[in-house]
């Protein structure tokens, strides 16, 4: 399949305008790019756990989705979709459904890293043919910027404040993409909205995979990250270039770096561009900067070894 | 399928579908978000090289493409985030103050 834009623009728009996500939201960009990779001859079933994307795209009596859509609770997008997929397989076998369907879940990082992890793990283990997309904005943005398992160390959120006693989140994030890869499913990838071609190609691979697929997409949030709204794509690009968000895939167990970073940038530039890290540049917190850089370097080296 | 919701405010509870089912997929296009805008993207057709990058990065699906070419911005939905202008490789999109742009339109 082609990743040429002249081909992609001919595809029907599945997320229509008029939804009420913030201006400059990264989540809807992630959804649009992801669905550009869907094959033309299939119908889609979308599941959406609670989160920004769900509350803003489906405000009754309006929906932005031009596909079958189900909203489920925060923790069970993967199990809801598993059930739908299992029912579809059965009905297809009985000849009650003729068309081809594909199943896609869009969860935020809260609904994937933390609350929905158990349901996700179960769905992956059972081997349902579904795609789980995590649009990762590194905190619970819908409820007003609380820390999640995806939040980077040192980052400010309302539940990891900075002041006399605190200096942002103390713990490092968990590596969910690697956790999912450990389920030995056909396709796992990490992507970013700034590298759209890479993301569309990964989406095409995920749709083609015969079994569960998982894509973790970095979708910056300007309200939570504290930058100007037109810089959403720029922030995602900087994250890739500073290797805090490496782009790779695990295709049937084979790790591969999909975007090489020849001139790895210092993390300082990335941290300086966002208000959530502004306290790190105060005298009393400056000792944290080398630790953050060291964490990134260690994770990057580990990844390079896996991709050899 | 069309689902008439013009007088939904006057519906009694029996008329609402069970489970808050929305019977018209993609009907958010009836809800205009253009009023959120403080800056309006204006595209210069002479500079634009039709790379379609604005289409792929628009969060509001507001870039209108016809025959593989960008023909304009749907101001009913564009919230004026300015990502298209920031990411345009040839700087063909300019963000103009909405009130000034509106005044110009009237003239």
């Amino acid at each position: 399949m082609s990743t040429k834009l002249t081909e992609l623009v001919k595809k029907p728009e599945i997320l229509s305008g008029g939804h009420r996500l913030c201006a400059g939201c990264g989540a809807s960009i992630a959804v649009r790019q992801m669905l550009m990779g869907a094959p033309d001859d299939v119908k889609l079933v979308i599941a959406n756990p609670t989160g920004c994307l769900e509350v803003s795209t489906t405000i009754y009596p309006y929906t932005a989705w031009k596909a079958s859509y189900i909203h489920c609770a925060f923790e069970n997008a993967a199990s809801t979709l598993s059930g739908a997929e299992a029912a579809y397989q059965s009905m297809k076998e009985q000849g009650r459904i003729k068309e081809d369907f594909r199943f896609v879940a869009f969860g935020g990082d809260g609904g994937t890293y933390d609350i929905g992890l158990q349901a996700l793990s179960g769905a992956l283990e059972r081997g349902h043919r579904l795609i789980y997309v995590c649009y990762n904005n590194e905190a619970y943005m819908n409820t007003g910027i609380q820390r999640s398992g995806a939040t980077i160390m040192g980052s400010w959120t309302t539940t990891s404040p900075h002041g006399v006693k605190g200096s942002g989140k103390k713990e490092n994030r968990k590596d969910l993409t690697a956790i999912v890869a450990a389920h030995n499913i056909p396709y796992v990838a990490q992507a970013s909205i700034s590298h759209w071609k890479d993301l569309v190609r990964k989406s095409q691979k995920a749709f083609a995979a015969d079994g569960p697929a998982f894509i973790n997409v970095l979708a910056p949030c300007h309200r939570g990250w504290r930058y100007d709204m037109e810089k959403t794509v720029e922030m995602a690009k900087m994250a890739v270039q500073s290797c805090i968000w490496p782009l790779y895939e695990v295709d049937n167990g084979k790790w591969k770096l999909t975007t090489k970073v020849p001139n790895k940038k210092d993390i300082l530039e990335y941290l300086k561009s966002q208000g959530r890290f502004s306290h790190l540049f105060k005298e009393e917190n400056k000792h944290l900067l080398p630790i953050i850089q060291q964490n990134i370097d260690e994770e990057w080296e580990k990844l390079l070894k896996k991709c050899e | 399928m069309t689902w008439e919701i013009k007088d939904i405010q006057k519906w009694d509870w029996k008329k609402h579908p069970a489970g808050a089912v929305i019977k018209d997929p993609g009907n958010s296009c009836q809800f205009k978000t253009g009023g959120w805008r403080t800056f309006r993207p204006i595209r210069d057709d002479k500079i634009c090289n039709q790379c379609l990058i604005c289409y792929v990065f628009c969060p509001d699906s507001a870039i209108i493409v016809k025959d593989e070419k960008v023909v304009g911005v749907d101001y009913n939905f564009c919230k004026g985030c300015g990502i298209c202008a920031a990411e345009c490789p040839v700087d063909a999109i300019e963000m103009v103050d909405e009130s000034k742009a509106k005044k110009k339109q009237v003239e």
Side-chain angles (χ1 to χ4, degrees):
Chain A
M1 274 173 90
S2 163
T3 52
K4 269 189 179 168
L5 261 183
T6 44
E7 295 294 319
L8 295 178
V9 292
K10 288 181 197 159
K11 287 179 159 286
E13 189 76 68
I14 291 165
L15 186 75
S16 64
H19 59 70
R20 281 169 258 184
L21 287 158
C22 303
C25 178
S28 49
I29 305 179
V31 171
R32 287 189 64 229
Q33 294 183 357
M34 184 65 210
L35 295 180
M36 277 177 201
D40 294 327
D41 50 349
V42 300
K43 290 186 172 177
L44 294 175
V45 177
I46 314 260
N48 210 180
T50 305
C52 279
L53 186 67
E54 176 267 319
V55 296
S56 335
T57 54
T58 57
I59 298 175
Y60 187 80
Y62 297 103
T63 176
W65 298 87
K66 285 183 190 158
S68 306
Y69 176 94
I70 182 163
H71 161 228
C72 42
F74 219 145
E75 65 277 15
N76 60 4
S79 23
T80 306
L81 212 57
S82 311
E85 195 262 356
Y88 161 71
Q89 295 294 1
S90 164
M91 287 168 90
K92 182 117 194 185
E93 223 164 80
Q94 296 167 42
R96 287 163 69 187
I97 290 182
K98 297 275 184 292
E99 303 103 316
D100 271 332
F101 279 85
R102 289 284 189 285
F103 298 80
V104 190
F106 286 102
D109 57 294
T112 311
Y113 276 68
D114 302 343
I115 302 176
L117 184 57
Q118 183 193 359
L120 174 64
S121 179
L124 300 177
E125 187 266 329
R126 290 190 299 269
H128 295 282
R129 189 172 184 182
L130 54 85
I131 302 169
Y132 195 105
V133 183
C134 169
Y135 72 92
N136 183 351
N137 48 28
E138 301 185 339
Y140 289 85
M141 299 309 185
N142 178 35
T143 44
I145 320 163
Q146 286 84 24
R147 83 188 272 292
S148 79
T151 310
I152 302 171
M153 183 190 165
S155 169
W156 161 88
T157 65
T158 50
T159 45
S160 62
H162 58 84
V164 184
K165 297 226 166 160
S167 50
K169 193 185 167 191
K170 290 189 181 75
E171 305 80 13
N172 209 351
R173 64 179 173 194
K174 61 175 144 184
D175 189 355
L176 182 74
T177 318
I179 294 170
V180 172
H183 287 74
N184 294 323
I185 58 170
Y187 192 73
V188 182
Q190 195 158 284
S192 158
I193 55 161
S194 56
H195 293 60
W196 61 269
K197 210 166 198 168
D198 178 69
L199 174 48
V200 172
R201 203 183 48 80
K202 282 171 180 164
S203 158
Q204 289 169 347
K205 275 194 169 182
F207 274 103
D210 190 16
F214 175 85
I215 302 184
N216 197 348
V217 186
L218 186 71
C221 164
H222 62 82
R223 297 305 307 129
W225 293 20
R226 304 283 168 191
Y227 61 83
D228 293 335
M229 61 183 172
E230 71 273 14
K231 289 184 184 155
T232 297
V233 176
E234 195 187 319
M235 289 301 146
K237 204 179 284 171
M238 280 166 86
V240 175
Q241 286 167 346
S242 58
C243 295
I244 196 163
W245 193 257
L247 304 185
Y248 62 92
E249 63 180 14
V250 189
D251 193 349
N252 286 307
K254 200 176 175 323
W255 291 66
K256 192 186 158 203
L257 214 59
T258 52
T259 301
K260 294 200 167 64
V261 188
N263 303 313
K264 188 172 160 218
K265 280 191 181 160
D266 199 276
I267 193 65
L268 286 181
E269 196 189 333
Y270 180 71
L271 300 180
K272 263 182 199 158
S273 62
Q274 295 166 32
R276 61 173 173 159
F277 297 115
S278 60
H279 60 281
L280 293 178
F281 295 92
K282 283 183 184 163
E283 209 47 57
E284 64 268 29
N285 296 326
K286 270 195 171 157
H287 66 280
L288 287 170
L289 292 171
I291 301 173
I292 294 171
Q293 180 71 60
Q294 196 191 339
N295 282 343
I296 295 164
D297 291 345
E298 277 171 12
E299 275 178 41
W300 175 244
E301 287 302 321
K302 248 194 259 171
L303 179 67
L304 285 182
K305 263 187 198 152
K306 281 181 192 163
C307 294
E308 262 169 14
Chain B
M1 184 169 57
T2 48
W3 187 45
E4 195 50 65
I5 49 167
K6 253 183 197 162
D7 53 348
I8 194 163
Q9 300 294 338
K10 291 175 199 155
W11 288 8
D12 71 339
W13 63 272
K14 284 180 213 153
K15 213 178 166 193
H16 290 277
V21 171
I22 301 170
K23 294 185 172 182
D24 189 6
N27 69 347
S28 69
C29 56
Q30 296 168 32
F31 189 90
K32 311 281 189 266
T33 50
W36 297 20
R37 202 168 50 239
T38 42
F39 290 96
R40 173 183 290 207
I42 300 209
R43 193 183 61 97
D44 190 336
D45 205 33
K46 284 177 204 134
I47 306 171
C48 176
N49 63 356
Q50 298 294 350
C51 68
L52 300 163
I53 289 288
C54 51
Y55 174 84
V56 87
F57 286 138
C58 178
D60 295 300
S61 323
I63 305 289
I64 308 167
V65 176
K66 269 195 188 126
D67 301 326
E68 299 160 32
K69 287 206 157 64
V70 178
V71 291
V73 180
D74 194 336
Y75 294 121
N76 285 327
F77 305 122
C78 168
K79 294 170 189 152
C81 65
I83 291 178
C84 53
E87 294 305 316
C88 180
V90 290
D91 286 333
I93 302 174
E94 193 191 352
M95 297 305 285
V96 183
D97 194 298
E98 179 69 15
S99 56
K100 280 178 195 159
K102 257 188 189 158
K103 254 184 214 165
K104 228 179 184 180
Q105 222 174 17
V106 175
E107 280 165 19

